[in-house]
Amino acid sequence: MPELPEVETIRRQLAPAVAGKRLERLDVLDPRWCAPAAPDEVDAATRGRRVERLSRRGKYLIWTLGGDVHVVMHLRMTGNLLVSETRDGDLPRPHLRVRLVLEPELQVLFVDPRRFGTGHVLLGTEALDAYFATRLGVEPLDADFTGDALRALARGRRAPVKAFLLSQERIAGVGNIYADEALFRAGIHPLRPVGTLSRAQIALLRDTVVASLEAGIDARGASFDDFRHTDGARGSFQDRFLVHRREGLPCPTCERPIKKMRAAGRGTYVCETCQPKPRARRRLETRPSS
Ligand SMILES: [Zn+2]
């Protein structure tokens, strides 16, 4: 599933190609994509508008069009955005759900075998902000994601740290891959209650979340499954995983085999030597607030 680095990769590839172009039409071929809005409502709200900016928030891609109109896309499990510079985009294509026809001469295709991807039109910056306010927390690559900010979010919480990292309304954009990689780099077990982490561990975890996401962007995302670039190429971060999807392979630090377990309902990869298990029935410690 695409996470922050994969969506950011798409944004960086797509932005120079679409910025300044006019959206001639937005064809929603699968109404489930924009439900409860109807496909013709989506087209009517966006048709003829210029693409001013392509931005990202968490795992969402935001098309800002002229007249303060925003199209917010989420790729979910298997969504991809592919660029077609010719009219080849008009040809039938498996799993094509949405076609954005831009002038001059460009098509962007939302291709999505599992059909969980979504798109919503939001009219006005206020509506856009309200949409994200209830869904997304701090943006981990922004300056306000500090050790202190993470500590404030974690304080007093009994949730396992992996589940905490995956909750988008706290930290936006971290998913299964980058949570595993960040926890390994920090030497923290995924089931450790987040409120029991020391101040130093929280500061380290903040740094390893950022480092893992930046490594993912640097490798242009991970393509062990459906994720592809806008030209169909693959990312290479899967070749740099430290623990994720490396069950039974040697830990890069201690060489003991990496273990697969369940955490937060997800397949989770861990080195239990480098990431010691939390002690059973450990009491939640209260710490001074500064
Ligand atoms: Zn190890």
Side-chain angles (χ1 to χ4, degrees), residues 91-125:
L91 299 172
R93 179 188 277 265
H95 311 303
L96 177 62
R97 301 185 64 206
V98 177
R99 181 190 286 120
L100 294 94
V101 180
L102 295 140
E103 283 297 335
E105 205 66 5
L106 186 81
Q107 296 204 10
V108 178
L109 310 175
F110 195 111
V111 175
D112 185 9
R114 300 279 302 268
R115 299 175 61 219
F116 289 117
T118 56
H120 294 293
V121 175
L122 295 162
L123 304 177
T125 306

PDB file of all heavy atoms in Angstrom, residues 91-125:
ATOM      1  N   LEU A  91      -7.485   4.287 -25.054  1.00  0.00           N
ATOM      2  CA  LEU A  91      -7.648   2.863 -25.329  1.00  0.00           C
ATOM      3  C   LEU A  91      -8.161   2.166 -24.071  1.00  0.00           C
ATOM      4  O   LEU A  91      -7.868   2.586 -22.966  1.00  0.00           O
ATOM      5  CB  LEU A  91      -6.298   2.252 -25.742  1.00  0.00           C
ATOM      6  CG  LEU A  91      -5.673   2.845 -27.004  1.00  0.00           C
ATOM      7  CD1 LEU A  91      -4.259   2.290 -27.200  1.00  0.00           C
ATOM      8  CD2 LEU A  91      -6.536   2.552 -28.229  1.00  0.00           C
ATOM      9  N   PRO A  92      -8.914   1.083 -24.259  1.00  0.00           N
ATOM     10  CA  PRO A  92      -9.371   0.355 -23.080  1.00  0.00           C
ATOM     11  C   PRO A  92      -8.165  -0.180 -22.311  1.00  0.00           C
ATOM     12  O   PRO A  92      -7.164  -0.571 -22.917  1.00  0.00           O
ATOM     13  CB  PRO A  92     -10.193  -0.805 -23.663  1.00  0.00           C
ATOM     14  CG  PRO A  92     -10.298  -0.576 -25.122  1.00  0.00           C
ATOM     15  CD  PRO A  92      -9.313   0.457 -25.532  1.00  0.00           C
ATOM     16  N   ARG A  93      -8.254  -0.147 -21.019  1.00  0.00           N
ATOM     17  CA  ARG A  93      -7.117  -0.543 -20.196  1.00  0.00           C
ATOM     18  C   ARG A  93      -7.692  -1.221 -18.954  1.00  0.00           C
ATOM     19  O   ARG A  93      -8.648  -0.711 -18.374  1.00  0.00           O
ATOM     20  CB  ARG A  93      -6.353   0.728 -19.822  1.00  0.00           C
ATOM     21  CG  ARG A  93      -5.142   0.514 -18.945  1.00  0.00           C
ATOM     22  CD  ARG A  93      -4.613   1.862 -18.507  1.00  0.00           C
ATOM     23  NE  ARG A  93      -3.752   2.485 -19.493  1.00  0.00           N
ATOM     24  CZ  ARG A  93      -2.421   2.387 -19.479  1.00  0.00           C
ATOM     25  NH1 ARG A  93      -1.817   1.678 -18.565  1.00  0.00           N
ATOM     26  NH2 ARG A  93      -1.701   2.998 -20.377  1.00  0.00           N
ATOM     27  N   PRO A  94      -7.136  -2.352 -18.551  1.00  0.00           N
ATOM     28  CA  PRO A  94      -7.713  -3.029 -17.388  1.00  0.00           C
ATOM     29  C   PRO A  94      -7.573  -2.180 -16.125  1.00  0.00           C
ATOM     30  O   PRO A  94      -6.561  -1.500 -15.949  1.00  0.00           O
ATOM     31  CB  PRO A  94      -6.899  -4.332 -17.272  1.00  0.00           C
ATOM     32  CG  PRO A  94      -5.700  -4.137 -18.125  1.00  0.00           C
ATOM     33  CD  PRO A  94      -6.014  -3.079 -19.136  1.00  0.00           C
ATOM     34  N   HIS A  95      -8.618  -2.208 -15.317  1.00  0.00           N
ATOM     35  CA  HIS A  95      -8.621  -1.559 -14.006  1.00  0.00           C
ATOM     36  C   HIS A  95      -8.551  -0.030 -14.061  1.00  0.00           C
ATOM     37  O   HIS A  95      -8.228   0.612 -13.072  1.00  0.00           O
ATOM     38  CB  HIS A  95      -7.482  -2.088 -13.120  1.00  0.00           C
ATOM     39  CG  HIS A  95      -7.395  -3.580 -13.081  1.00  0.00           C
ATOM     40  ND1 HIS A  95      -8.457  -4.370 -12.682  1.00  0.00           N
ATOM     41  CD2 HIS A  95      -6.403  -4.435 -13.425  1.00  0.00           C
ATOM     42  CE1 HIS A  95      -8.095  -5.636 -12.760  1.00  0.00           C
ATOM     43  NE2 HIS A  95      -6.862  -5.710 -13.219  1.00  0.00           N
ATOM     44  N   LEU A  96      -8.818   0.546 -15.242  1.00  0.00           N
ATOM     45  CA  LEU A  96      -8.857   2.008 -15.337  1.00  0.00           C
ATOM     46  C   LEU A  96     -10.143   2.505 -14.678  1.00  0.00           C
ATOM     47  O   LEU A  96     -11.232   2.085 -15.030  1.00  0.00           O
ATOM     48  CB  LEU A  96      -8.809   2.446 -16.802  1.00  0.00           C
ATOM     49  CG  LEU A  96      -8.915   3.951 -17.046  1.00  0.00           C
ATOM     50  CD1 LEU A  96      -7.747   4.691 -16.399  1.00  0.00           C
ATOM     51  CD2 LEU A  96      -8.970   4.263 -18.537  1.00  0.00           C
ATOM     52  N   ARG A  97     -10.003   3.406 -13.703  1.00  0.00           N
ATOM     53  CA  ARG A  97     -11.176   3.892 -12.970  1.00  0.00           C
ATOM     54  C   ARG A  97     -11.479   5.344 -13.263  1.00  0.00           C
ATOM     55  O   ARG A  97     -12.632   5.764 -13.220  1.00  0.00           O
ATOM     56  CB  ARG A  97     -10.964   3.709 -11.465  1.00  0.00           C
ATOM     57  CG  ARG A  97     -10.716   2.254 -11.096  1.00  0.00           C
ATOM     58  CD  ARG A  97     -10.629   2.076  -9.614  1.00  0.00           C
ATOM     59  NE  ARG A  97     -11.892   2.409  -8.981  1.00  0.00           N
ATOM     60  CZ  ARG A  97     -12.012   2.822  -7.731  1.00  0.00           C
ATOM     61  NH1 ARG A  97     -10.954   2.945  -6.979  1.00  0.00           N
ATOM     62  NH2 ARG A  97     -13.196   3.113  -7.237  1.00  0.00           N
ATOM     63  N   VAL A  98     -10.435   6.141 -13.505  1.00  0.00           N
ATOM     64  CA  VAL A  98     -10.619   7.570 -13.723  1.00  0.00           C
ATOM     65  C   VAL A  98      -9.607   8.033 -14.761  1.00  0.00           C
ATOM     66  O   VAL A  98      -8.457   7.580 -14.753  1.00  0.00           O
ATOM     67  CB  VAL A  98     -10.391   8.362 -12.411  1.00  0.00           C
ATOM     68  CG1 VAL A  98     -10.503   9.860 -12.647  1.00  0.00           C
ATOM     69  CG2 VAL A  98     -11.368   7.918 -11.335  1.00  0.00           C
ATOM     70  N   ARG A  99     -10.065   8.918 -15.636  1.00  0.00           N
ATOM     71  CA  ARG A  99      -9.164   9.472 -16.639  1.00  0.00           C
ATOM     72  C   ARG A  99      -9.220  10.995 -16.539  1.00  0.00           C
ATOM     73  O   ARG A  99     -10.298  11.581 -16.650  1.00  0.00           O
ATOM     74  CB  ARG A  99      -9.612   9.018 -18.030  1.00  0.00           C
ATOM     75  CG  ARG A  99      -8.736   9.517 -19.161  1.00  0.00           C
ATOM     76  CD  ARG A  99      -9.351   9.241 -20.531  1.00  0.00           C
ATOM     77  NE  ARG A  99      -9.269   7.838 -20.901  1.00  0.00           N
ATOM     78  CZ  ARG A  99     -10.323   7.067 -21.159  1.00  0.00           C
ATOM     79  NH1 ARG A  99     -11.535   7.552 -21.073  1.00  0.00           N
ATOM     80  NH2 ARG A  99     -10.166   5.805 -21.507  1.00  0.00           N
ATOM     81  N   LEU A 100      -8.069  11.626 -16.302  1.00  0.00           N
ATOM     82  CA  LEU A 100      -8.000  13.091 -16.299  1.00  0.00           C
ATOM     83  C   LEU A 100      -7.399  13.515 -17.627  1.00  0.00           C
ATOM     84  O   LEU A 100      -6.243  13.176 -17.919  1.00  0.00           O
ATOM     85  CB  LEU A 100      -7.130  13.605 -15.155  1.00  0.00           C
ATOM     86  CG  LEU A 100      -7.656  13.363 -13.742  1.00  0.00           C
ATOM     87  CD1 LEU A 100      -7.074  12.084 -13.164  1.00  0.00           C
ATOM     88  CD2 LEU A 100      -7.316  14.538 -12.831  1.00  0.00           C
ATOM     89  N   VAL A 101      -8.176  14.226 -18.410  1.00  0.00           N
ATOM     90  CA  VAL A 101      -7.704  14.679 -19.716  1.00  0.00           C
ATOM     91  C   VAL A 101      -7.276  16.129 -19.575  1.00  0.00           C
ATOM     92  O   VAL A 101      -8.083  17.003 -19.234  1.00  0.00           O
ATOM     93  CB  VAL A 101      -8.813  14.537 -20.784  1.00  0.00           C
ATOM     94  CG1 VAL A 101      -8.306  15.014 -22.140  1.00  0.00           C
ATOM     95  CG2 VAL A 101      -9.289  13.091 -20.855  1.00  0.00           C
ATOM     96  N   LEU A 102      -5.977  16.370 -19.811  1.00  0.00           N
ATOM     97  CA  LEU A 102      -5.419  17.712 -19.630  1.00  0.00           C
ATOM     98  C   LEU A 102      -4.996  18.279 -20.970  1.00  0.00           C
ATOM     99  O   LEU A 102      -4.589  17.546 -21.872  1.00  0.00           O
ATOM    100  CB  LEU A 102      -4.216  17.645 -18.683  1.00  0.00           C
ATOM    101  CG  LEU A 102      -4.569  17.218 -17.251  1.00  0.00           C
ATOM    102  CD1 LEU A 102      -3.530  16.285 -16.678  1.00  0.00           C
ATOM    103  CD2 LEU A 102      -4.739  18.432 -16.362  1.00  0.00           C
ATOM    104  N   GLU A 103      -5.070  19.604 -21.075  1.00  0.00           N
ATOM    105  CA  GLU A 103      -4.614  20.295 -22.269  1.00  0.00           C
ATOM    106  C   GLU A 103      -3.444  21.192 -21.888  1.00  0.00           C
ATOM    107  O   GLU A 103      -3.515  21.877 -20.869  1.00  0.00           O
ATOM    108  CB  GLU A 103      -5.750  21.142 -22.864  1.00  0.00           C
ATOM    109  CG  GLU A 103      -6.785  20.329 -23.624  1.00  0.00           C
ATOM    110  CD  GLU A 103      -6.206  19.611 -24.845  1.00  0.00           C
ATOM    111  OE1 GLU A 103      -5.176  20.080 -25.394  1.00  0.00           O
ATOM    112  OE2 GLU A 103      -6.786  18.592 -25.225  1.00  0.00           O
ATOM    113  N   PRO A 104      -2.387  21.236 -22.698  1.00  0.00           N
ATOM    114  CA  PRO A 104      -2.238  20.460 -23.919  1.00  0.00           C
ATOM    115  C   PRO A 104      -1.785  19.010 -23.687  1.00  0.00           C
ATOM    116  O   PRO A 104      -0.915  18.753 -22.882  1.00  0.00           O
ATOM    117  CB  PRO A 104      -1.153  21.243 -24.672  1.00  0.00           C
ATOM    118  CG  PRO A 104      -0.376  21.950 -23.608  1.00  0.00           C
ATOM    119  CD  PRO A 104      -1.316  22.195 -22.472  1.00  0.00           C
ATOM    120  N   GLU A 105      -2.463  18.124 -24.405  1.00  0.00           N
ATOM    121  CA  GLU A 105      -2.031  16.753 -24.718  1.00  0.00           C
ATOM    122  C   GLU A 105      -1.414  15.947 -23.568  1.00  0.00           C
ATOM    123  O   GLU A 105      -0.226  15.600 -23.612  1.00  0.00           O
ATOM    124  CB  GLU A 105      -1.006  16.835 -25.870  1.00  0.00           C
ATOM    125  CG  GLU A 105      -0.878  15.601 -26.722  1.00  0.00           C
ATOM    126  CD  GLU A 105      -2.149  15.299 -27.535  1.00  0.00           C
ATOM    127  OE1 GLU A 105      -3.106  16.101 -27.503  1.00  0.00           O
ATOM    128  OE2 GLU A 105      -2.177  14.263 -28.177  1.00  0.00           O
ATOM    129  N   LEU A 106      -2.200  15.663 -22.570  1.00  0.00           N
ATOM    130  CA  LEU A 106      -1.695  14.797 -21.504  1.00  0.00           C
ATOM    131  C   LEU A 106      -2.887  14.115 -20.842  1.00  0.00           C
ATOM    132  O   LEU A 106      -3.926  14.735 -20.645  1.00  0.00           O
ATOM    133  CB  LEU A 106      -0.943  15.620 -20.454  1.00  0.00           C
ATOM    134  CG  LEU A 106      -0.256  14.812 -19.359  1.00  0.00           C
ATOM    135  CD1 LEU A 106       1.081  14.268 -19.828  1.00  0.00           C
ATOM    136  CD2 LEU A 106      -0.040  15.664 -18.109  1.00  0.00           C
ATOM    137  N   GLN A 107      -2.726  12.849 -20.519  1.00  0.00           N
ATOM    138  CA  GLN A 107      -3.750  12.165 -19.743  1.00  0.00           C
ATOM    139  C   GLN A 107      -3.108  11.562 -18.503  1.00  0.00           C
ATOM    140  O   GLN A 107      -1.985  11.070 -18.554  1.00  0.00           O
ATOM    141  CB  GLN A 107      -4.394  11.046 -20.564  1.00  0.00           C
ATOM    142  CG  GLN A 107      -5.137  11.585 -21.773  1.00  0.00           C
ATOM    143  CD  GLN A 107      -6.232  10.651 -22.263  1.00  0.00           C
ATOM    144  OE1 GLN A 107      -6.582   9.673 -21.602  1.00  0.00           O
ATOM    145  NE2 GLN A 107      -6.778  10.968 -23.412  1.00  0.00           N
ATOM    146  N   VAL A 108      -3.846  11.636 -17.403  1.00  0.00           N
ATOM    147  CA  VAL A 108      -3.417  10.975 -16.172  1.00  0.00           C
ATOM    148  C   VAL A 108      -4.484   9.940 -15.844  1.00  0.00           C
ATOM    149  O   VAL A 108      -5.671  10.266 -15.763  1.00  0.00           O
ATOM    150  CB  VAL A 108      -3.235  11.980 -15.018  1.00  0.00           C
ATOM    151  CG1 VAL A 108      -2.845  11.245 -13.735  1.00  0.00           C
ATOM    152  CG2 VAL A 108      -2.176  13.021 -15.379  1.00  0.00           C
ATOM    153  N   LEU A 109      -4.050   8.687 -15.695  1.00  0.00           N
ATOM    154  CA  LEU A 109      -4.981   7.571 -15.515  1.00  0.00           C
ATOM    155  C   LEU A 109      -4.889   7.036 -14.099  1.00  0.00           C
ATOM    156  O   LEU A 109      -3.791   6.721 -13.616  1.00  0.00           O
ATOM    157  CB  LEU A 109      -4.641   6.451 -16.513  1.00  0.00           C
ATOM    158  CG  LEU A 109      -4.492   6.882 -17.974  1.00  0.00           C
ATOM    159  CD1 LEU A 109      -4.030   5.689 -18.830  1.00  0.00           C
ATOM    160  CD2 LEU A 109      -5.799   7.449 -18.518  1.00  0.00           C
ATOM    161  N   PHE A 110      -6.035   6.938 -13.449  1.00  0.00           N
ATOM    162  CA  PHE A 110      -6.087   6.326 -12.114  1.00  0.00           C
ATOM    163  C   PHE A 110      -6.444   4.862 -12.332  1.00  0.00           C
ATOM    164  O   PHE A 110      -7.576   4.535 -12.693  1.00  0.00           O
ATOM    165  CB  PHE A 110      -7.144   7.033 -11.265  1.00  0.00           C
ATOM    166  CG  PHE A 110      -7.058   6.754  -9.783  1.00  0.00           C
ATOM    167  CD1 PHE A 110      -6.676   7.744  -8.899  1.00  0.00           C
ATOM    168  CD2 PHE A 110      -7.384   5.509  -9.258  1.00  0.00           C
ATOM    169  CE1 PHE A 110      -6.613   7.508  -7.528  1.00  0.00           C
ATOM    170  CE2 PHE A 110      -7.317   5.262  -7.893  1.00  0.00           C
ATOM    171  CZ  PHE A 110      -6.932   6.262  -7.019  1.00  0.00           C
ATOM    172  N   VAL A 111      -5.461   3.999 -12.149  1.00  0.00           N
ATOM    173  CA  VAL A 111      -5.618   2.563 -12.401  1.00  0.00           C
ATOM    174  C   VAL A 111      -5.592   1.859 -11.045  1.00  0.00           C
ATOM    175  O   VAL A 111      -4.725   2.159 -10.213  1.00  0.00           O
ATOM    176  CB  VAL A 111      -4.470   2.069 -13.310  1.00  0.00           C
ATOM    177  CG1 VAL A 111      -4.521   0.568 -13.508  1.00  0.00           C
ATOM    178  CG2 VAL A 111      -4.530   2.795 -14.651  1.00  0.00           C
ATOM    179  N   ASP A 112      -6.523   0.950 -10.799  1.00  0.00           N
ATOM    180  CA  ASP A 112      -6.698   0.464  -9.432  1.00  0.00           C
ATOM    181  C   ASP A 112      -7.431  -0.881  -9.399  1.00  0.00           C
ATOM    182  O   ASP A 112      -8.658  -0.922  -9.315  1.00  0.00           O
ATOM    183  CB  ASP A 112      -7.491   1.537  -8.660  1.00  0.00           C
ATOM    184  CG  ASP A 112      -7.661   1.232  -7.198  1.00  0.00           C
ATOM    185  OD1 ASP A 112      -7.043   0.274  -6.696  1.00  0.00           O
ATOM    186  OD2 ASP A 112      -8.429   1.963  -6.549  1.00  0.00           O
ATOM    187  N   PRO A 113      -6.686  -1.998  -9.437  1.00  0.00           N
ATOM    188  CA  PRO A 113      -7.336  -3.313  -9.493  1.00  0.00           C
ATOM    189  C   PRO A 113      -8.295  -3.588  -8.329  1.00  0.00           C
ATOM    190  O   PRO A 113      -9.369  -4.138  -8.537  1.00  0.00           O
ATOM    191  CB  PRO A 113      -6.159  -4.304  -9.458  1.00  0.00           C
ATOM    192  CG  PRO A 113      -4.964  -3.520  -9.861  1.00  0.00           C
ATOM    193  CD  PRO A 113      -5.231  -2.082  -9.532  1.00  0.00           C
ATOM    194  N   ARG A 114      -7.918  -3.218  -7.112  1.00  0.00           N
ATOM    195  CA  ARG A 114      -8.770  -3.554  -5.961  1.00  0.00           C
ATOM    196  C   ARG A 114      -9.905  -2.556  -5.739  1.00  0.00           C
ATOM    197  O   ARG A 114     -10.787  -2.790  -4.922  1.00  0.00           O
ATOM    198  CB  ARG A 114      -7.924  -3.676  -4.683  1.00  0.00           C
ATOM    199  CG  ARG A 114      -6.848  -4.740  -4.718  1.00  0.00           C
ATOM    200  CD  ARG A 114      -7.351  -6.140  -4.423  1.00  0.00           C
ATOM    201  NE  ARG A 114      -8.011  -6.259  -3.130  1.00  0.00           N
ATOM    202  CZ  ARG A 114      -7.418  -6.598  -1.990  1.00  0.00           C
ATOM    203  NH1 ARG A 114      -6.129  -6.861  -1.977  1.00  0.00           N
ATOM    204  NH2 ARG A 114      -8.089  -6.686  -0.867  1.00  0.00           N
ATOM    205  N   ARG A 115      -9.851  -1.408  -6.386  1.00  0.00           N
ATOM    206  CA  ARG A 115     -10.929  -0.407  -6.364  1.00  0.00           C
ATOM    207  C   ARG A 115     -11.199   0.216  -4.997  1.00  0.00           C
ATOM    208  O   ARG A 115     -12.323   0.632  -4.711  1.00  0.00           O
ATOM    209  CB  ARG A 115     -12.231  -1.015  -6.920  1.00  0.00           C
ATOM    210  CG  ARG A 115     -12.112  -1.487  -8.357  1.00  0.00           C
ATOM    211  CD  ARG A 115     -13.382  -2.182  -8.829  1.00  0.00           C
ATOM    212  NE  ARG A 115     -14.539  -1.311  -8.791  1.00  0.00           N
ATOM    213  CZ  ARG A 115     -15.767  -1.717  -8.404  1.00  0.00           C
ATOM    214  NH1 ARG A 115     -15.980  -2.942  -8.011  1.00  0.00           N
ATOM    215  NH2 ARG A 115     -16.770  -0.863  -8.422  1.00  0.00           N
ATOM    216  N   PHE A 116     -10.171   0.312  -4.140  1.00  0.00           N
ATOM    217  CA  PHE A 116     -10.376   0.985  -2.858  1.00  0.00           C
ATOM    218  C   PHE A 116      -9.993   2.470  -2.925  1.00  0.00           C
ATOM    219  O   PHE A 116     -10.275   3.224  -2.005  1.00  0.00           O
ATOM    220  CB  PHE A 116      -9.567   0.311  -1.748  1.00  0.00           C
ATOM    221  CG  PHE A 116     -10.089  -1.035  -1.352  1.00  0.00           C
ATOM    222  CD1 PHE A 116      -9.326  -2.180  -1.536  1.00  0.00           C
ATOM    223  CD2 PHE A 116     -11.355  -1.160  -0.798  1.00  0.00           C
ATOM    224  CE1 PHE A 116      -9.804  -3.430  -1.168  1.00  0.00           C
ATOM    225  CE2 PHE A 116     -11.846  -2.410  -0.424  1.00  0.00           C
ATOM    226  CZ  PHE A 116     -11.068  -3.547  -0.616  1.00  0.00           C
ATOM    227  N   GLY A 117      -9.310   2.876  -3.977  1.00  0.00           N
ATOM    228  CA  GLY A 117      -8.882   4.269  -4.121  1.00  0.00           C
ATOM    229  C   GLY A 117     -10.081   5.200  -4.215  1.00  0.00           C
ATOM    230  O   GLY A 117     -11.171   4.787  -4.621  1.00  0.00           O
ATOM    231  N   THR A 118      -9.868   6.458  -3.803  1.00  0.00           N
ATOM    232  CA  THR A 118     -10.974   7.416  -3.771  1.00  0.00           C
ATOM    233  C   THR A 118     -10.550   8.775  -4.313  1.00  0.00           C
ATOM    234  O   THR A 118      -9.357   9.087  -4.382  1.00  0.00           O
ATOM    235  CB  THR A 118     -11.458   7.653  -2.323  1.00  0.00           C
ATOM    236  OG1 THR A 118     -10.347   8.087  -1.539  1.00  0.00           O
ATOM    237  CG2 THR A 118     -12.067   6.403  -1.714  1.00  0.00           C
ATOM    238  N   GLY A 119     -11.547   9.575  -4.668  1.00  0.00           N
ATOM    239  CA  GLY A 119     -11.321  10.963  -5.052  1.00  0.00           C
ATOM    240  C   GLY A 119     -12.505  11.810  -4.611  1.00  0.00           C
ATOM    241  O   GLY A 119     -13.654  11.382  -4.756  1.00  0.00           O
ATOM    242  N   HIS A 120     -12.200  12.974  -4.029  1.00  0.00           N
ATOM    243  CA  HIS A 120     -13.271  13.862  -3.573  1.00  0.00           C
ATOM    244  C   HIS A 120     -12.970  15.281  -4.000  1.00  0.00           C
ATOM    245  O   HIS A 120     -11.819  15.714  -3.946  1.00  0.00           O
ATOM    246  CB  HIS A 120     -13.424  13.810  -2.055  1.00  0.00           C
ATOM    247  CG  HIS A 120     -13.896  12.471  -1.574  1.00  0.00           C
ATOM    248  ND1 HIS A 120     -15.156  11.994  -1.851  1.00  0.00           N
ATOM    249  CD2 HIS A 120     -13.273  11.500  -0.893  1.00  0.00           C
ATOM    250  CE1 HIS A 120     -15.285  10.783  -1.335  1.00  0.00           C
ATOM    251  NE2 HIS A 120     -14.144  10.447  -0.759  1.00  0.00           N
ATOM    252  N   VAL A 121     -14.018  15.989  -4.408  1.00  0.00           N
ATOM    253  CA  VAL A 121     -13.874  17.396  -4.757  1.00  0.00           C
ATOM    254  C   VAL A 121     -14.255  18.228  -3.542  1.00  0.00           C
ATOM    255  O   VAL A 121     -15.307  17.993  -2.935  1.00  0.00           O
ATOM    256  CB  VAL A 121     -14.780  17.764  -5.949  1.00  0.00           C
ATOM    257  CG1 VAL A 121     -14.713  19.265  -6.222  1.00  0.00           C
ATOM    258  CG2 VAL A 121     -14.352  16.995  -7.192  1.00  0.00           C
ATOM    259  N   LEU A 122     -13.391  19.179  -3.185  1.00  0.00           N
ATOM    260  CA  LEU A 122     -13.667  20.063  -2.054  1.00  0.00           C
ATOM    261  C   LEU A 122     -13.636  21.495  -2.563  1.00  0.00           C
ATOM    262  O   LEU A 122     -12.658  21.911  -3.212  1.00  0.00           O
ATOM    263  CB  LEU A 122     -12.643  19.844  -0.945  1.00  0.00           C
ATOM    264  CG  LEU A 122     -12.730  18.432  -0.340  1.00  0.00           C
ATOM    265  CD1 LEU A 122     -11.471  18.081   0.420  1.00  0.00           C
ATOM    266  CD2 LEU A 122     -13.952  18.293   0.554  1.00  0.00           C
ATOM    267  N   LEU A 123     -14.701  22.233  -2.278  1.00  0.00           N
ATOM    268  CA  LEU A 123     -14.827  23.596  -2.777  1.00  0.00           C
ATOM    269  C   LEU A 123     -14.352  24.569  -1.701  1.00  0.00           C
ATOM    270  O   LEU A 123     -15.013  24.735  -0.681  1.00  0.00           O
ATOM    271  CB  LEU A 123     -16.284  23.891  -3.168  1.00  0.00           C
ATOM    272  CG  LEU A 123     -16.885  22.912  -4.203  1.00  0.00           C
ATOM    273  CD1 LEU A 123     -18.351  23.234  -4.462  1.00  0.00           C
ATOM    274  CD2 LEU A 123     -16.092  22.942  -5.510  1.00  0.00           C
ATOM    275  N   GLY A 124     -13.178  25.154  -1.921  1.00  0.00           N
ATOM    276  CA  GLY A 124     -12.655  26.157  -0.994  1.00  0.00           C
ATOM    277  C   GLY A 124     -11.640  25.595  -0.016  1.00  0.00           C
ATOM    278  O   GLY A 124     -11.705  24.426   0.373  1.00  0.00           O
ATOM    279  N   THR A 125     -10.697  26.458   0.370  1.00  0.00           N
ATOM    280  CA  THR A 125      -9.629  26.068   1.287  1.00  0.00           C
ATOM    281  C   THR A 125     -10.179  25.637   2.645  1.00  0.00           C
ATOM    282  O   THR A 125      -9.645  24.733   3.282  1.00  0.00           O
ATOM    283  CB  THR A 125      -8.653  27.251   1.463  1.00  0.00           C
ATOM    284  OG1 THR A 125      -8.224  27.657   0.157  1.00  0.00           O
ATOM    285  CG2 THR A 125      -7.431  26.869   2.266  1.00  0.00           C
TER     286      THR A 125
END
